[in-house]
Amino acid sequence: MSASFSKIRVFALILTALSVAALSVSAQVAPRKPVAKPVAPAAAAAAPKMATGPGGWIKEFGTMWTFDAPPLAYWKGRYGFEPSQEWLDNVRLSSVRIPGCSASFVSDQGLVMTNHHCARACITAVSPPDTSYQDAGFVSAAVSDEKKCSMIYADQLVSMEDVTAKIRAAETASVTAKQVEQRDKAIGDIQSSCQTETHLVCEVVTFYQGGKYSLYRYKRYNDVRLVMAPEETISFFGGDPDNFTYPRYDIDVTLLRVYDDNQPMHADHYLRWNSNGFKAGDLTFVVGNPGSTGRLLTMAQMEYLRDVQYPATLATYKAQIAIFKELAAKSAANKRQYENTIFGLENSQKAVLGYDAGLVNPAIMARKAAFEKDFRSRIMAKPALSAQYGRAWDNIAAAQTEVASFAVQQQFQGFGGGSALLNFAVGLVRIAAQATLPDSLRLPQYRGAGLDRIKAQMGQNPSIDTELEKLLLAAQFGMAQRALPAGDPFLTAALGGRSPEVAAEALVNGTRMASASARKALLDGGAAAIAASDDPMIVLARTVNPMATRHAMRALRLNTTVSANVALVGQAIYAAYGASLPPDATFTLRISDGVVQGFPYNGTIAPYKTSFYGMYARNAEFDGQPPFNLPPRWQAARSAVDMAAPLDFVTTADIIGGNSGSPVINRKGEVVGLIFDGNIEMLPNRFIYTDEVARSVAVHTRAIVEALRKVYGAARLADEVESAGAKR
Amino acid sequence: MSASFSKIRVFALILTALSVAALSVSAQVAPRKPVAKPVAPAAAAAAPKMATGPGGWIKEFGTMWTFDAPPLAYWKGRYGFEPSQEWLDNVRLSSVRIPGCSASFVSDQGLVMTNHHCARACITAVSPPDTSYQDAGFVSAAVSDEKKCSMIYADQLVSMEDVTAKIRAAETASVTAKQVEQRDKAIGDIQSSCQTETHLVCEVVTFYQGGKYSLYRYKRYNDVRLVMAPEETISFFGGDPDNFTYPRYDIDVTLLRVYDDNQPMHADHYLRWNSNGFKAGDLTFVVGNPGSTGRLLTMAQMEYLRDVQYPATLATYKAQIAIFKELAAKSAANKRQYENTIFGLENSQKAVLGYDAGLVNPAIMARKAAFEKDFRSRIMAKPALSAQYGRAWDNIAAAQTEVASFAVQQQFQGFGGGSALLNFAVGLVRIAAQATLPDSLRLPQYRGAGLDRIKAQMGQNPSIDTELEKLLLAAQFGMAQRALPAGDPFLTAALGGRSPEVAAEALVNGTRMASASARKALLDGGAAAIAASDDPMIVLARTVNPMATRHAMRALRLNTTVSANVALVGQAIYAAYGASLPPDATFTLRISDGVVQGFPYNGTIAPYKTSFYGMYARNAEFDGQPPFNLPPRWQAARSAVDMAAPLDFVTTADIIGGNSGSPVINRKGEVVGLIFDGNIEMLPNRFIYTDEVARSVAVHTRAIVEALRKVYGAARLADEVESAGAKR
């Protein structure tokens, strides 16, 4: 399995770019139906009433609790669970954040458990020249054999402090832009003085879109070493088809060790290991760093995603998948070349379809509408709150409607279709145009050092597949033709009456953008050279650029309006509900409660856990074909493994990208599992928490120990975690 | 597992009442939206064009071919498969029909293979007083130990003859009703003279709703004995949750033996056994007796089901499930009492939801509409055909629209809500009213001996659960209140301004219908006693009966119109397409081609086969809880069984209820599997064949042999089939 193959699945839970897309006012759009329409009275009337649970819990907001506001009343009311402060402190200090992921200490000798897909860079980097530890797995024979991972560090959250008042005090200006500057400066000051005083890693975290600010202080461990990693065929068994799904049979684990002064660190805080620490129906917790959720999005924002942004994204995926499949069908070499691209696109499509599934579900939207109604009525009931926040929703809706009004034009003017040649032409034209402007009037990516970065990109020499270029351009032009009215200036410029295929053919055949020297000449020649060029791609980019820039700047202004009002909504929610609602995910430490529970699936029921039998079953049932193949040591271990032992399991805990590697713990604070994915039904939880069929997916601690002892000959490590687990 | 528990799953493939419901113009209805509307021009324009495959095959009609019109050109064109007549004859003569199911000879000593759920009555009947072979399984130690099944016989199709011309010749009358009489007489005559001459079982089969008639002659074997049956926990592993689903892990087999003169029969024709007779992607055939399909239904008939009948059925299931769940939640005894009823209702709901899934799927309906357009245009293109058949579709649509116009009223006036007390009252009132009428003017069920049958029912003494009675009545009245306009005479009679709950309470508390003597007095007293009664249920039934009868008679007339025109459509289809379209299922022998193939499911892919690993996995993953428990001999055999051996598999073959027990054969005519179910995605195939995700589910022959040898100590039987398979 190649690197790009596996990178794809990182979508699942590592903090990724995709998760941000849902929250931005991206312009890559084509509308599906009228946009950002207000909730019709009938729909609002039909919406369910808000139900408030113990401790003021509102289910839709989920359970991503912060450690400085643990929901003690809710836990007590819902589960009869009353943790001590010592319990909470130990859990927090046993948890660490690593780049993009979560992890935890699982022995007093600094052993750290995370996902295999979180340690990918390390596993590749420490592989000797003739071996891939991705393929072959790695088991250190002794402590001395553990391999330094230079790119991994571990941050332990040692304290939190509410600094909202300090930041509010700094915001004295009356103009929004100036206020933002003051706030950013205050945040910077707090962070740097903290760092100077404590020598810790200090980070001011924005909660509730600005409703609350906390200073988080981390102890950073820089010496992290690779101890054990299974083969990727085991950590990612079932590959892309099984990705995002359950029942599942992956052992997505990697063991690392934190060193202190070149010795295994003595960990005062770690999670006691329990290989049999829960049963079906039990309360468990996931402790980790969820990256980003959109649960505070307003109805207007969600409708924009549903009606404008996601349809455009999905249409693009669909067109590109069709193109790459067509190419892949032509030869075995093509198949090898494009297979991973197709997998990647299909997985992205799977993810966006999953997010969209929540937005197009009337029951889910009705719950969201009911919440917004309750929320707004709380704000409107108090004159002070109403004056401060009352108009935020309408302001957001108006801005979204305006963005949507030119979203289609902007999408196509932005040339996002994937043609490398046209990207060069657009870059050259924009560099020439933007370079003449003062920084503040430029598009953001051309400001400051951005201009030079983009200039440097013009010198790159990717290999160009002209057949692919033509197909991508023709697909893009075809979509434009269907989406834009006849006579639209973009269509005139791009097609000039030709069919998409003919236009694409002429552009690709006629351009000199594949030549680095031709590009250099245009880059060096500046605006005059661009104006004089007869390269058809330059001509096209030059014609479209003024309108594209106008739309981009207009979207930028509207985006700023949305951001400002989104901040108001965040402050309002904190004013209306306090900390009884967990804030949106911020890639900071959270503790989420959930119950171990199967769910309805495929017309029947999915079990709460899977077994080694199941892994060998799926291998046999696909005749051992990838991605259901087993590495040699797993074939050899067939008779040694306890087939009935648990492998993976599911809980209703509330997770998202960034939670990869989070420990699952029981009431006693013992580690019983390792989060590595959510099922496909969980994707809509990005916007509203649900637990009917959405599940987080974890490796069972028993499976890890079983694999260490029976398959990897790593009794040393199994003994280490189990004996540390027995200590008190 | 109790008898009623298992009876439920018989829905899957045994020929059942449920399959008839879809084809009748039942009045148990409440409309969901406007009915039987013509296909809008836009929808018709968007409909796909008909694609005709090799040999004139039209995919939508599936592959349930008759043996007297095997689709040789289609098989050759699609698969390069050209069977000899000897191949076809051997396959036909190796197949037998048993009551409600299909089966096949699998050795030269008369061994017959069918499903466990097809031999249920026999397995129960031959169990000794102290043992249940359902629970414990049965393996005959020797031929002398095999047990006579008095209720099972096996019919072997020895010849077929087209008798359409003979029947057409008999239909000389100009009045439809008289024609029907003439046809029925001709059919009876043909059957009885055939029986007299040949001593075979003779049956005239109606194909294409009357487009073609064939005389089928069967040799009947009356001495059938039980040889081997597994425990029901194995044959129905996964129980109701897994019913209709795949991946699946059932060994739903029973071995019987046909005896001749008290000796195992020598079978000239049997299917050679192959435990390894196919691989993924291979062509296979299913040979058996599909019961009933509705692929010739017109758009108007399907829209009636979609918009009127199924919504009413589903609403009733939903209400009743809610009631029984409410009762079951009250005590452990209630739970035991109602568990099977709930399972049964949920399974029926699952089935109807499955059928409905096709009707509410615009893509499927568009394909149906495209076919109907093609079909009608072929008829309209020829004046003779147009004159004879051209108006049939509009006649059906008009009748359906009229039925729909009073369907809601009729539904509630019919009192189908499940109250046993009210059923008595309605019966008594109707007996008194119908008995005074001449036979021809009565409701059909009161004609001839029907009246006495219903009178006899009035003397039964079921146990009455008054709490349940009240809940069922209140639910029924509540549905009526929501469905009917205020002031509807039924509502006035039933509620008289009271709430459904109050009315139900008063009716159940006030009635004497629980008393057999009170009922007898009313039965004996006739119309006068009914008229004088002040029993509130009698009063209600008496008030509603005239309108109910009027509507029932009107529906009956419309039903006759639909039937007559449906027959015309059938004749028309045969006139337009000949035998290139397989006729609807008629519980007669068919051969269906299909390919062994997995399918997309649960966000990933289902394998083409399952394994013993998978069965033990599901057992372990549900902690051995029923219906995922394993009987003792399966627990003991854990280490002996070849876990990677195939267990079940799926093909795209075209099956439906009645196909249970059908053999799956390969190109060589060897038996490689045993059909026992379809997946839930197959249910819409009742109306239109699809193969994207619809699959028939079979037991692998290898699994049967593995079980016989390793689990049941029945090497004698495994040797018998395998050595017979090796003979030539």
Side-chain angles (χ1 to χ4, degrees), chain B residues 348-369:
Chain B
S348 300
Q349 186 186 44
K350 209 160 154 179
V352 176
L353 277 172
Y355 303 148
D356 201 39
L359 303 179
V360 300
N361 182 327
I364 288 183
M365 288 299 264
R367 279 155 70 167
K368 183 78 189 180

Side-chain angles (χ1 to χ4, degrees), chain A residues 567-600:
Chain A
L568 290 178
V569 169
Q571 292 171 31
I573 214 160
Y574 193 61
Y577 299 94
S580 69
L581 300 188
D584 262 317
T586 46
F587 198 45
T588 53
L589 197 65
R590 307 296 178 95
I591 177 166
S592 169
D593 49 276
V595 170
V596 176
Q597 203 173 294
F599 57 95

Side-chain angles (χ1 to χ4, degrees), chain B residues 64-220:
Chain B
M64 293 179 175
W65 310 102
T66 60
F67 274 84
D68 59 355
L72 300 175
Y74 155 71
W75 283 341
K76 186 177 175 187
R78 190 162 183 207
Y79 308 109
F81 176 67
E82 298 177 83
S84 65
Q85 189 58 46
E86 187 199 350
W87 188 100
L88 286 165
D89 290 346
N90 188 63
V91 164
R92 170 171 53 81
L93 293 166
S94 300
S95 302
V96 286
R97 187 174 68 176
I98 63 174
C101 282
S102 302
S104 61
F105 287 115
V106 292
S107 90
D108 52 359
Q109 297 157 60
L111 200 66
V112 167
M113 176 174 78
T114 188
N115 289 147
H116 186 276
H117 72 267
C118 293
R120 149 173 310 286
C122 163
I123 296 168
T124 301
V126 303
S127 292
D130 55 344
T131 308
S132 160
Y133 290 156
Q134 289 290 345
D135 294 346
F138 171 76
V139 186
S140 61
V143 171
S144 57
D145 192 31
E146 297 172 356
K147 312 279 185 198
K148 179 80 193 285
C149 296
S150 58
M151 66 291 287
I152 296 188
Y153 51 83
D155 285 346
Q156 179 189 43
L157 178 59
V158 293
S159 70
M160 293 151 286
E161 182 187 339
D162 188 336
V163 293
T164 314
K166 283 188 196 168
I167 286 168
R168 290 268 183 280
E171 295 174 322
T172 56
S174 54
V175 183
T176 306
K178 184 72 192 159
Q179 258 191 27
V180 171
E181 243 174 64
Q182 291 173 327
R183 182 203 315 150
D184 289 350
K185 183 171 181 309
I187 289 174
D189 289 349
I190 293 169
Q191 288 178 165
S192 54
S193 69
C194 164
Q195 255 152 275
T196 310
E197 284 161 29
T198 63
H199 300 288
L200 294 169
V201 172
C202 297
E203 199 178 282
V204 171
V205 187
T206 305
F207 293 111
Y208 304 107
Q209 301 171 166
K212 179 182 174 184
Y213 296 91
S214 291
L215 175 61
Y216 273 42
R217 300 187 192 88
Y218 296 93
K219 175 160 186 189
R220 175 162 293 181

Side-chain angles (χ1 to χ4, degrees), chain A residues 90-360:
Chain A
N90 187 63
V91 165
R92 172 172 51 83
L93 294 166
S94 300
S95 302
V96 286
R97 187 173 69 176
I98 64 174
C101 282
S102 302
S104 61
F105 286 115
V106 292
S107 90
D108 52 359
Q109 298 158 60
L111 199 67
V112 167
M113 177 174 77
T114 188
N115 289 147
H116 186 276
H117 72 268
C118 293
R120 151 173 308 287
C122 162
I123 296 167
T124 302
V126 303
S127 293
D130 55 343
T131 308
S132 160
Y133 290 155
Q134 290 289 344
D135 294 346
F138 170 75
V139 186
S140 61
V143 170
S144 58
D145 193 31
E146 296 172 356
K147 311 279 186 199
K148 179 80 194 287
C149 297
S150 58
M151 66 290 286
I152 297 188
Y153 52 84
D155 286 345
Q156 178 189 43
L157 178 59
V158 293
S159 69
M160 293 151 286
E161 182 188 339
D162 188 336
V163 293
T164 314
K166 283 189 199 171
I167 286 168
R168 291 266 183 278
E171 295 173 323
T172 55
S174 55
V175 182
T176 305
K178 183 71 192 158
Q179 257 191 28
V180 171
E181 246 174 62
Q182 291 173 326
R183 183 205 311 149
D184 289 349
K185 183 171 181 309
I187 289 174
D189 290 348
I190 292 169
Q191 288 179 165
S192 56
S193 70
C194 163
Q195 254 150 277
T196 309
E197 282 163 27
T198 63
H199 300 289
L200 295 169
V201 172
C202 297
E203 199 179 283
V204 171
V205 187
T206 305
F207 292 111
Y208 304 106
Q209 300 172 167
K212 180 182 173 183
Y213 296 91
S214 292
L215 175 60
Y216 273 42
R217 299 188 193 89
Y218 296 93
K219 178 161 183 188
R220 175 162 293 181
Y221 299 94
N222 278 304
D223 188 350
V224 178
R225 304 192 189 179
L226 180 64
V227 177
M228 184 270 164
E231 306 84 348
E232 186 168 41
T233 39
I234 287 302
S235 71
F236 193 35
F237 183 79
D240 277 290
D242 279 6
N243 198 7
F244 294 123
T245 74
Y246 180 88
R248 194 74 163 279
Y249 314 92
D250 292 358
I251 307 185
D252 191 353
V253 67
T254 286
L255 297 176
L256 305 169
R257 194 185 301 280
V258 168
Y259 279 65
D260 191 11
D261 203 13
N262 250 338
Q263 293 298 319
M265 161 198 169
H266 172 79
D268 290 326
H269 294 280
Y270 67 93
L271 300 173
R272 264 80 187 165
W273 189 277
N274 190 332
S275 296
N276 187 26
F278 67 90
K279 52 187 194 321
D282 276 2
L283 168 65
T284 54
F285 299 88
V286 171
V287 186
N289 302 273
S292 163
T293 51
R295 301 209 181 130
L296 292 189
L297 290 189
T298 66
M299 286 299 287
Q301 290 177 288
M302 290 173 61
E303 285 161 355
Y304 180 86
L305 291 173
R306 181 191 66 191
D307 299 334
V308 183
Q309 183 166 318
Y310 285 166
T313 307
L314 290 169
T316 302
Y317 287 149
K318 194 177 163 192
Q320 297 193 345
I321 289 168
I323 288 171
F324 287 108
K325 284 196 166 169
E326 186 187 328
L327 291 176
K330 290 192 177 173
S331 71
N334 272 11
K335 185 167 186 294
R336 274 192 305 279
Q337 184 178 352
Y338 294 119
E339 199 168 44
N340 290 334
T341 307
I342 294 168
F343 280 147
L345 285 165
E346 285 182 338
N347 242 333
S348 301
Q349 185 186 43
K350 210 161 154 178
V352 176
L353 277 172
Y355 304 147
D356 201 40
L359 303 179
V360 299

Side-chain angles (χ1 to χ4, degrees), chain A residues 477-493:
Chain A
F477 293 163
M479 281 197 283
Q481 211 174 28
R482 288 187 295 276
L484 295 170
D488 178 276
F490 174 82
L491 291 180
T492 309

Side-chain angles (χ1 to χ4, degrees), chain A residues 6 141 299 383 443 575 602 664:
Chain A
S6 321
M299 286 299 287
L443 293 166
N602 187 40
V664 184

Side-chain angles (χ1 to χ4, degrees), chain A residues 414-724:
Chain A
F415 291 116
S419 158
L421 294 173
L422 191 53
N423 277 351
F424 280 132
V426 171
L428 291 167
V429 167
R430 288 209 179 150
I431 288 166
Q434 296 278 313
T436 63
L437 300 172
D439 218 59
S440 64
L441 294 184
R442 289 184 195 165
L443 293 166
Q445 63 272 36
Y446 289 85
R447 292 179 193 167
L451 185 65
D452 286 337
R453 214 163 27 237
I454 295 174
K455 279 185 179 172
Q457 286 167 10
M458 298 299 112
Q460 289 170 356
N461 267 316
S463 73
I464 301 289
D465 177 337
T466 54
E467 188 184 3
L468 174 62
E469 290 281 311
K470 288 173 189 174
L471 288 171
L472 290 171
L473 277 178
Q476 190 67 8
F477 293 163
M479 281 197 283
Q481 211 174 28
R482 288 187 295 276
L484 295 170
D488 178 276
F490 174 82
L491 291 180
T492 309
L495 301 180
R498 298 169 297 183
S499 75
E501 291 71 23
V502 170
E505 178 90 15
L507 281 168
V508 174
N509 290 345
T511 190
R512 294 172 301 278
M513 286 299 108
S515 151
S517 60
R519 293 198 306 268
K520 188 167 187 318
L522 285 164
L523 188 64
D524 295 346
I530 294 292
S533 172
D534 64 352
D535 185 297
M537 285 201 179
I538 293 288
V539 173
L540 174 58
R542 196 174 64 202
T543 314
V544 173
N545 189 50
M547 31 185 164
T549 306
R550 216 160 40 236
H551 279 142
M553 294 303 287
R554 190 172 164 203
L556 191 65
R557 280 195 307 278
L558 291 163
N559 195 356
T560 309
T561 303
V562 169
S563 300
N565 284 283
V566 153
L568 290 178
V569 169
Q571 292 171 31
I573 214 160
Y574 193 61
Y577 299 94
S580 69
L581 300 188
D584 262 317
T586 46
F587 198 45
T588 53
L589 197 65
R590 307 296 178 95
I591 177 166
S592 169
D593 49 276
V595 170
V596 176
Q597 203 173 294
F599 57 95
Y601 106 112
N602 187 40
T604 176
I605 42 178
Y608 73 97
K609 65 174 176 185
T610 63
S611 65
F612 284 90
Y613 273 129
M615 172 195 269
Y616 282 95
R618 211 146 163 79
N619 168 257
E621 292 167 5
F622 285 98
D623 294 322
Q625 291 302 303
F628 302 101
N629 51 320
L630 291 171
R633 49 157 82 87
W634 280 88
Q635 293 175 35
R638 203 177 281 262
S639 58
V641 169
D642 177 356
M643 288 285 171
L647 183 46
D648 292 342
F649 67 100
V650 280
T651 84
T652 60
D654 187 12
I655 61 163
I656 203 159
N659 266 119
S660 275
S662 299
V664 184
I665 61 175
N666 64 12
R667 282 176 186 252
K668 291 185 190 162
E670 298 164 335
V671 58
V672 298
L674 169 64
I675 289 291
F676 71 99
D677 205 357
N679 65 358
I680 205 160
E681 296 92 332
M682 185 182 247
L683 291 169
N685 279 16
R686 168 172 295 282
F687 303 112
I688 303 181
Y689 173 80
T690 60
D691 64 2
E692 289 79 4
V693 288
R695 292 292 180 276
S696 52
V697 186
V699 188
H700 199 292
T701 40
R702 170 68 201 281
I704 297 170
V705 164
E706 185 75 11
L708 290 174
R709 292 193 189 283
K710 309 275 185 70
V711 183
Y712 293 103
R716 146 179 114 82
L717 297 171
D719 289 346
E720 179 179 340
V721 293
E722 292 195 324
S723 67

Side-chain angles (χ1 to χ4, degrees), chain B residues 206-270:
Chain B
T206 305
F207 293 111
Y208 304 107
Q209 301 171 166
K212 179 182 174 184
Y213 296 91
S214 291
L215 175 61
Y216 273 42
R217 300 187 192 88
Y218 296 93
K219 175 160 186 189
R220 175 162 293 181
Y221 299 94
N222 278 304
D223 188 349
V224 178
R225 305 191 188 179
L226 180 64
V227 177
M228 185 270 163
E231 306 84 349
E232 186 168 44
T233 39
I234 287 303
S235 71
F236 193 35
F237 183 78
D240 277 290
D242 278 6
N243 199 7
F244 295 122
T245 74
Y246 180 86
R248 194 73 165 279
Y249 314 92
D250 292 359
I251 307 185
D252 191 353
V253 66
T254 286
L255 296 176
L256 305 169
R257 194 186 301 279
V258 168
Y259 279 66
D260 191 11
D261 203 13
N262 250 337
Q263 292 299 317
M265 161 197 169
H266 172 78
D268 290 326
H269 294 281
Y270 66 94

